[in-house]
PDB file of all heavy atoms in Angstrom:
ATOM      1  N   VAL A   1      94.276  89.456 117.984  1.00  0.00           N
ATOM      2  CA  VAL A   1      95.287  90.364 117.426  1.00  0.00           C
ATOM      3  C   VAL A   1      94.690  91.152 116.264  1.00  0.00           C
ATOM      4  O   VAL A   1      93.912  90.608 115.471  1.00  0.00           O
ATOM      5  CB  VAL A   1      96.528  89.566 116.957  1.00  0.00           C
ATOM      6  CG1 VAL A   1      97.465  90.440 116.127  1.00  0.00           C
ATOM      7  CG2 VAL A   1      97.257  88.985 118.156  1.00  0.00           C
ATOM      8  N   SER A   2      95.053  92.435 116.166  1.00  0.00           N
ATOM      9  CA  SER A   2      94.624  93.272 115.040  1.00  0.00           C
ATOM     10  C   SER A   2      95.842  93.869 114.346  1.00  0.00           C
ATOM     11  O   SER A   2      96.690  94.482 114.992  1.00  0.00           O
ATOM     12  CB  SER A   2      93.709  94.404 115.521  1.00  0.00           C
ATOM     13  OG  SER A   2      92.507  93.893 116.062  1.00  0.00           O
ATOM     14  N   ILE A   3      95.907  93.681 113.041  1.00  0.00           N
ATOM     15  CA  ILE A   3      96.985  94.237 112.222  1.00  0.00           C
ATOM     16  C   ILE A   3      96.336  94.909 111.019  1.00  0.00           C
ATOM     17  O   ILE A   3      95.538  94.280 110.321  1.00  0.00           O
ATOM     18  CB  ILE A   3      97.956  93.142 111.744  1.00  0.00           C
ATOM     19  CG1 ILE A   3      98.618  92.453 112.938  1.00  0.00           C
ATOM     20  CG2 ILE A   3      99.017  93.716 110.810  1.00  0.00           C
ATOM     21  CD1 ILE A   3      99.434  91.225 112.554  1.00  0.00           C
ATOM     22  N   GLY A   4      96.668  96.178 110.775  1.00  0.00           N
ATOM     23  CA  GLY A   4      96.063  96.824 109.609  1.00  0.00           C
ATOM     24  C   GLY A   4      96.323  98.316 109.533  1.00  0.00           C
ATOM     25  O   GLY A   4      97.129  98.863 110.280  1.00  0.00           O
ATOM     26  N   GLY A   5      95.625  98.956 108.612  1.00  0.00           N
ATOM     27  CA  GLY A   5      95.881 100.345 108.285  1.00  0.00           C
ATOM     28  C   GLY A   5      95.118 101.341 109.144  1.00  0.00           C
ATOM     29  O   GLY A   5      94.178 100.985 109.861  1.00  0.00           O
ATOM     30  N   ASN A   6      95.532 102.605 109.029  1.00  0.00           N
ATOM     31  CA  ASN A   6      94.825 103.699 109.683  1.00  0.00           C
ATOM     32  C   ASN A   6      93.986 104.463 108.654  1.00  0.00           C
ATOM     33  O   ASN A   6      93.906 104.061 107.488  1.00  0.00           O
ATOM     34  CB  ASN A   6      95.817 104.635 110.401  1.00  0.00           C
ATOM     35  CG  ASN A   6      96.860 105.222 109.450  1.00  0.00           C
ATOM     36  OD1 ASN A   6      96.652 105.297 108.234  1.00  0.00           O
ATOM     37  ND2 ASN A   6      97.988 105.640 110.004  1.00  0.00           N
ATOM     38  N   LEU A   7      93.383 105.559 109.072  1.00  0.00           N
ATOM     39  CA  LEU A   7      92.507 106.308 108.171  1.00  0.00           C
ATOM     40  C   LEU A   7      93.271 106.995 107.050  1.00  0.00           C
ATOM     41  O   LEU A   7      92.675 107.411 106.045  1.00  0.00           O
ATOM     42  CB  LEU A   7      91.706 107.340 108.970  1.00  0.00           C
ATOM     43  CG  LEU A   7      90.671 106.764 109.946  1.00  0.00           C
ATOM     44  CD1 LEU A   7      89.987 107.878 110.719  1.00  0.00           C
ATOM     45  CD2 LEU A   7      89.641 105.909 109.221  1.00  0.00           C
ATOM     46  N   LYS A   8      94.585 107.117 107.190  1.00  0.00           N
ATOM     47  CA  LYS A   8      95.410 107.703 106.136  1.00  0.00           C
ATOM     48  C   LYS A   8      95.911 106.645 105.150  1.00  0.00           C
ATOM     49  O   LYS A   8      96.728 106.936 104.282  1.00  0.00           O
ATOM     50  CB  LYS A   8      96.607 108.428 106.750  1.00  0.00           C
ATOM     51  CG  LYS A   8      96.229 109.636 107.590  1.00  0.00           C
ATOM     52  CD  LYS A   8      97.487 110.321 108.146  1.00  0.00           C
ATOM     53  CE  LYS A   8      97.124 111.523 108.983  1.00  0.00           C
ATOM     54  NZ  LYS A   8      98.354 112.189 109.526  1.00  0.00           N
ATOM     55  N   MET A   9      95.398 105.415 105.298  1.00  0.00           N
ATOM     56  CA  MET A   9      95.794 104.300 104.429  1.00  0.00           C
ATOM     57  C   MET A   9      97.285 103.993 104.558  1.00  0.00           C
ATOM     58  O   MET A   9      97.960 103.653 103.593  1.00  0.00           O
ATOM     59  CB  MET A   9      95.427 104.593 102.966  1.00  0.00           C
ATOM     60  CG  MET A   9      93.982 104.990 102.753  1.00  0.00           C
ATOM     61  SD  MET A   9      92.803 103.683 103.211  1.00  0.00           S
ATOM     62  CE  MET A   9      93.003 102.571 101.813  1.00  0.00           C
ATOM     63  N   GLU A  10      97.787 104.107 105.781  1.00  0.00           N
ATOM     64  CA  GLU A  10      99.165 103.718 106.096  1.00  0.00           C
ATOM     65  C   GLU A  10      99.122 102.357 106.765  1.00  0.00           C
ATOM     66  O   GLU A  10      98.229 102.082 107.582  1.00  0.00           O
ATOM     67  CB  GLU A  10      99.811 104.751 107.023  1.00  0.00           C
ATOM     68  CG  GLU A  10      99.915 106.139 106.412  1.00  0.00           C
ATOM     69  CD  GLU A  10     100.307 107.201 107.407  1.00  0.00           C
ATOM     70  OE1 GLU A  10      99.928 107.062 108.593  1.00  0.00           O
ATOM     71  OE2 GLU A  10     100.991 108.166 107.014  1.00  0.00           O
ATOM     72  N   TYR A  11     100.093 101.501 106.434  1.00  0.00           N
ATOM     73  CA  TYR A  11     100.020 100.117 106.868  1.00  0.00           C
ATOM     74  C   TYR A  11     101.302  99.677 107.573  1.00  0.00           C
ATOM     75  O   TYR A  11     102.389 100.202 107.299  1.00  0.00           O
ATOM     76  CB  TYR A  11      99.753  99.205 105.667  1.00  0.00           C
ATOM     77  CG  TYR A  11      98.489  99.555 104.934  1.00  0.00           C
ATOM     78  CD1 TYR A  11      98.530 100.320 103.767  1.00  0.00           C
ATOM     79  CD2 TYR A  11      97.247  99.166 105.419  1.00  0.00           C
ATOM     80  CE1 TYR A  11      97.362 100.671 103.100  1.00  0.00           C
ATOM     81  CE2 TYR A  11      96.084  99.501 104.761  1.00  0.00           C
ATOM     82  CZ  TYR A  11      96.145 100.255 103.602  1.00  0.00           C
ATOM     83  OH  TYR A  11      94.987 100.603 102.948  1.00  0.00           O
ATOM     84  N   PRO A  12     101.199  98.687 108.456  1.00  0.00           N
ATOM     85  CA  PRO A  12     102.373  98.229 109.200  1.00  0.00           C
ATOM     86  C   PRO A  12     103.393  97.501 108.326  1.00  0.00           C
ATOM     87  O   PRO A  12     103.049  96.908 107.294  1.00  0.00           O
ATOM     88  CB  PRO A  12     101.779  97.267 110.237  1.00  0.00           C
ATOM     89  CG  PRO A  12     100.329  97.594 110.310  1.00  0.00           C
ATOM     90  CD  PRO A  12      99.957  98.056 108.935  1.00  0.00           C
ATOM     91  N   SER A  13     104.621  97.544 108.777  1.00  0.00           N
ATOM     92  CA  SER A  13     105.712  96.768 108.185  1.00  0.00           C
ATOM     93  C   SER A  13     106.316  95.918 109.299  1.00  0.00           C
ATOM     94  O   SER A  13     106.785  96.452 110.310  1.00  0.00           O
ATOM     95  CB  SER A  13     106.767  97.697 107.583  1.00  0.00           C
ATOM     96  OG  SER A  13     107.857  96.963 107.071  1.00  0.00           O
ATOM     97  N   ILE A  14     106.278  94.616 109.114  1.00  0.00           N
ATOM     98  CA  ILE A  14     106.660  93.686 110.177  1.00  0.00           C
ATOM     99  C   ILE A  14     107.822  92.826 109.687  1.00  0.00           C
ATOM    100  O   ILE A  14     107.688  92.083 108.708  1.00  0.00           O
ATOM    101  CB  ILE A  14     105.455  92.804 110.577  1.00  0.00           C
ATOM    102  CG1 ILE A  14     104.293  93.688 111.044  1.00  0.00           C
ATOM    103  CG2 ILE A  14     105.844  91.814 111.662  1.00  0.00           C
ATOM    104  CD1 ILE A  14     102.976  92.964 111.160  1.00  0.00           C
ATOM    105  N   GLU A  15     108.945  92.927 110.369  1.00  0.00           N
ATOM    106  CA  GLU A  15     110.138  92.201 109.959  1.00  0.00           C
ATOM    107  C   GLU A  15     110.069  90.730 110.389  1.00  0.00           C
ATOM    108  O   GLU A  15     109.122  90.294 111.041  1.00  0.00           O
ATOM    109  CB  GLU A  15     111.387  92.875 110.526  1.00  0.00           C
ATOM    110  CG  GLU A  15     111.608  94.305 110.047  1.00  0.00           C
ATOM    111  CD  GLU A  15     111.850  94.400 108.549  1.00  0.00           C
ATOM    112  OE1 GLU A  15     112.359  93.441 107.962  1.00  0.00           O
ATOM    113  OE2 GLU A  15     111.521  95.455 107.962  1.00  0.00           O
ATOM    114  N   GLU A  16     111.094  89.988 110.044  1.00  0.00           N
ATOM    115  CA  GLU A  16     111.131  88.548 110.303  1.00  0.00           C
ATOM    116  C   GLU A  16     111.199  88.247 111.806  1.00  0.00           C
ATOM    117  O   GLU A  16     111.856  88.949 112.568  1.00  0.00           O
ATOM    118  CB  GLU A  16     112.348  87.940 109.600  1.00  0.00           C
ATOM    119  CG  GLU A  16     112.438  86.433 109.678  1.00  0.00           C
ATOM    120  CD  GLU A  16     113.588  85.891 108.862  1.00  0.00           C
ATOM    121  OE1 GLU A  16     113.489  85.908 107.618  1.00  0.00           O
ATOM    122  OE2 GLU A  16     114.595  85.467 109.462  1.00  0.00           O
ATOM    123  N   GLY A  17     110.496  87.187 112.201  1.00  0.00           N
ATOM    124  CA  GLY A  17     110.584  86.718 113.571  1.00  0.00           C
ATOM    125  C   GLY A  17     109.881  87.598 114.582  1.00  0.00           C
ATOM    126  O   GLY A  17     110.470  87.976 115.595  1.00  0.00           O
ATOM    127  N   VAL A  18     108.612  87.909 114.336  1.00  0.00           N
ATOM    128  CA  VAL A  18     107.830  88.744 115.253  1.00  0.00           C
ATOM    129  C   VAL A  18     106.654  87.926 115.783  1.00  0.00           C
ATOM    130  O   VAL A  18     106.010  87.188 115.030  1.00  0.00           O
ATOM    131  CB  VAL A  18     107.317  90.025 114.562  1.00  0.00           C
ATOM    132  CG1 VAL A  18     106.332  90.774 115.450  1.00  0.00           C
ATOM    133  CG2 VAL A  18     108.490  90.933 114.194  1.00  0.00           C
ATOM    134  N   VAL A  19     106.369  88.068 117.069  1.00  0.00           N
ATOM    135  CA  VAL A  19     105.210  87.400 117.663  1.00  0.00           C
ATOM    136  C   VAL A  19     104.274  88.448 118.254  1.00  0.00           C
ATOM    137  O   VAL A  19     104.706  89.384 118.928  1.00  0.00           O
ATOM    138  CB  VAL A  19     105.630  86.371 118.743  1.00  0.00           C
ATOM    139  CG1 VAL A  19     106.510  86.992 119.817  1.00  0.00           C
ATOM    140  CG2 VAL A  19     104.399  85.707 119.362  1.00  0.00           C
ATOM    141  N   PHE A  20     102.977  88.294 117.975  1.00  0.00           N
ATOM    142  CA  PHE A  20     101.930  89.124 118.555  1.00  0.00           C
ATOM    143  C   PHE A  20     101.178  88.275 119.581  1.00  0.00           C
ATOM    144  O   PHE A  20     100.487  87.323 119.216  1.00  0.00           O
ATOM    145  CB  PHE A  20     100.959  89.604 117.482  1.00  0.00           C
ATOM    146  CG  PHE A  20     101.486  90.688 116.593  1.00  0.00           C
ATOM    147  CD1 PHE A  20     102.180  90.383 115.438  1.00  0.00           C
ATOM    148  CD2 PHE A  20     101.292  92.026 116.914  1.00  0.00           C
ATOM    149  CE1 PHE A  20     102.675  91.379 114.606  1.00  0.00           C
ATOM    150  CE2 PHE A  20     101.771  93.035 116.089  1.00  0.00           C
ATOM    151  CZ  PHE A  20     102.469  92.712 114.937  1.00  0.00           C
ATOM    152  N   PHE A  21     101.319  88.625 120.843  1.00  0.00           N
ATOM    153  CA  PHE A  21     100.616  87.899 121.888  1.00  0.00           C
ATOM    154  C   PHE A  21      99.170  88.395 122.000  1.00  0.00           C
ATOM    155  O   PHE A  21      98.789  89.366 121.339  1.00  0.00           O
ATOM    156  CB  PHE A  21     101.384  88.027 123.203  1.00  0.00           C
ATOM    157  CG  PHE A  21     102.630  87.177 123.247  1.00  0.00           C
ATOM    158  CD1 PHE A  21     103.884  87.747 123.129  1.00  0.00           C
ATOM    159  CD2 PHE A  21     102.526  85.801 123.366  1.00  0.00           C
ATOM    160  CE1 PHE A  21     105.034  86.958 123.151  1.00  0.00           C
ATOM    161  CE2 PHE A  21     103.669  84.998 123.389  1.00  0.00           C
ATOM    162  CZ  PHE A  21     104.920  85.580 123.278  1.00  0.00           C
ATOM    163  N   PRO A  22      98.315  87.728 122.820  1.00  0.00           N
ATOM    164  CA  PRO A  22      96.882  88.005 122.816  1.00  0.00           C
ATOM    165  C   PRO A  22      96.507  89.480 122.980  1.00  0.00           C
ATOM    166  O   PRO A  22      97.078  90.206 123.791  1.00  0.00           O
ATOM    167  CB  PRO A  22      96.369  87.179 123.997  1.00  0.00           C
ATOM    168  CG  PRO A  22      97.307  86.023 124.060  1.00  0.00           C
ATOM    169  CD  PRO A  22      98.642  86.600 123.711  1.00  0.00           C
ATOM    170  N   LYS A  23      95.536  89.898 122.164  1.00  0.00           N
ATOM    171  CA  LYS A  23      94.924  91.226 122.200  1.00  0.00           C
ATOM    172  C   LYS A  23      95.918  92.357 121.942  1.00  0.00           C
ATOM    173  O   LYS A  23      95.675  93.499 122.371  1.00  0.00           O
ATOM    174  CB  LYS A  23      94.189  91.427 123.533  1.00  0.00           C
ATOM    175  CG  LYS A  23      93.020  90.470 123.735  1.00  0.00           C
ATOM    176  CD  LYS A  23      92.257  90.760 125.012  1.00  0.00           C
ATOM    177  CE  LYS A  23      91.080  89.808 125.158  1.00  0.00           C
ATOM    178  NZ  LYS A  23      90.302  90.065 126.406  1.00  0.00           N
ATOM    179  N   SER A  24      96.992  92.066 121.255  1.00  0.00           N
ATOM    180  CA  SER A  24      97.914  93.129 120.845  1.00  0.00           C
ATOM    181  C   SER A  24      97.521  93.607 119.448  1.00  0.00           C
ATOM    182  O   SER A  24      96.765  92.947 118.740  1.00  0.00           O
ATOM    183  CB  SER A  24      99.360  92.629 120.857  1.00  0.00           C
ATOM    184  OG  SER A  24      99.531  91.531 119.975  1.00  0.00           O
ATOM    185  N   SER A  25      98.055  94.774 119.064  1.00  0.00           N
ATOM    186  CA  SER A  25      97.700  95.308 117.754  1.00  0.00           C
ATOM    187  C   SER A  25      98.818  96.178 117.203  1.00  0.00           C
ATOM    188  O   SER A  25      99.625  96.740 117.944  1.00  0.00           O
ATOM    189  CB  SER A  25      96.408  96.135 117.841  1.00  0.00           C
ATOM    190  OG  SER A  25      96.582  97.273 118.660  1.00  0.00           O
ATOM    191  N   ALA A  26      98.851  96.256 115.880  1.00  0.00           N
ATOM    192  CA  ALA A  26      99.755  97.163 115.156  1.00  0.00           C
ATOM    193  C   ALA A  26      98.935  97.824 114.063  1.00  0.00           C
ATOM    194  O   ALA A  26      98.521  97.172 113.105  1.00  0.00           O
ATOM    195  CB  ALA A  26     100.933  96.403 114.577  1.00  0.00           C
ATOM    196  N   ILE A  27      98.694  99.118 114.216  1.00  0.00           N
ATOM    197  CA  ILE A  27      97.828  99.859 113.304  1.00  0.00           C
ATOM    198  C   ILE A  27      98.603 101.033 112.706  1.00  0.00           C
ATOM    199  O   ILE A  27      99.354 101.722 113.404  1.00  0.00           O
ATOM    200  CB  ILE A  27      96.573 100.379 114.028  1.00  0.00           C
ATOM    201  CG1 ILE A  27      95.802  99.230 114.692  1.00  0.00           C
ATOM    202  CG2 ILE A  27      95.664 101.139 113.066  1.00  0.00           C
ATOM    203  CD1 ILE A  27      95.284  98.180 113.737  1.00  0.00           C
ATOM    204  N   GLY A  28      98.393 101.252 111.425  1.00  0.00           N
ATOM    205  CA  GLY A  28      99.019 102.400 110.770  1.00  0.00           C
ATOM    206  C   GLY A  28     100.455 102.126 110.365  1.00  0.00           C
ATOM    207  O   GLY A  28     100.840 100.991 110.095  1.00  0.00           O
ATOM    208  N   SER A  29     101.261 103.171 110.337  1.00  0.00           N
ATOM    209  CA  SER A  29     102.623 103.083 109.795  1.00  0.00           C
ATOM    210  C   SER A  29     103.630 102.520 110.796  1.00  0.00           C
ATOM    211  O   SER A  29     104.765 103.007 110.891  1.00  0.00           O
ATOM    212  CB  SER A  29     103.080 104.463 109.318  1.00  0.00           C
ATOM    213  OG  SER A  29     103.071 105.391 110.392  1.00  0.00           O
TER     214      SER A  29
END
C-alpha cells in the first residue's frame, strides 16, 4: 500500500474505519 503526497505537496485525508487492500494507493489530495 502507498499513502502520501503529490508534487504539489497535497496529502490524503482518511476518515475513520478505512481499509486499504493489497497494492492500493491514495496519493495527493
Side-chain angles (χ1 to χ4, degrees):
V1 169
S2 296
I3 299 172
N6 58 23
L7 293 178
K8 295 181 180 180
M9 308 297 285
E10 298 169 328
Y11 302 99
S13 177
I14 302 167
E15 298 296 332
E16 185 175 288
V18 171
V19 55
F20 286 89
F21 285 106
K23 296 184 179 180
S24 60
S25 64
I27 304 298
S29 60

